[in-house]
Amino acid sequence: MIGVLNLQVLIVEDQLLIAMDLERILTGFGIASVTSAATVEQALAAMAGRRFDLAILDLKLEDGTSAAVAEELKLLDVPFVFATGFTDVGMIAPNM
């Protein structure tokens, strides 16, 4: 079922095994292209070169939070979700 859904998905996750598992799940559902980034810098660089249809963001990364990525996605009108183990919703800006 590879590439059934012509979607470009960005995963921002600094834990390699979690990112690999998400990628496996998404491609298993037929998502055509999944790009993973472990840092804010990598994510923003990936976004500069292509248009994503949606993104899955871990909130807390090794180099800070994914808030800058979320802001850029919002500006580009790309839907995103935070997938995080943190329960403190205060870490997420109200305008997200």
Side-chain angles (χ1 to χ4, degrees):
M1 189 184 341
I2 300 297
V4 173
L5 301 174
N6 191 24
L7 296 174
Q8 308 282 320
V9 178
L10 174 64
I11 297 171
V12 182
E13 170 60 65
D14 60 348
Q15 298 296 314
L16 180 61
L17 292 177
I18 294 171
M20 289 172 61
D21 196 35
L22 267 173
E23 187 171 336
R24 181 188 58 77
I25 291 167
L26 293 170
T27 56
F29 280 127
I31 301 295
S33 176
V34 179
T35 300
S36 291
T39 66
V40 170
E41 183 179 347
Q42 289 174 358
L44 294 175
M47 291 166 59
R50 67 198 296 189
R51 167 82 179 160
F52 289 97
D53 297 299
L54 61 104
I56 301 170
L57 311 177
D58 183 9
L59 181 60
K60 189 163 179 347
L61 305 171
E62 287 287 324
D63 64 342
T65 71
S66 60
V69 178
E71 287 289 340
E72 186 66 19
L73 290 165
K74 191 172 175 185
L75 287 173
L76 296 170
D77 203 27
V78 175
F80 62 91
V81 296
F82 288 109
T84 186
F86 289 94
T87 57
D88 181 8
V89 294
M91 293 181 68
I92 301 172
N95 63 341
M96 291 293 148

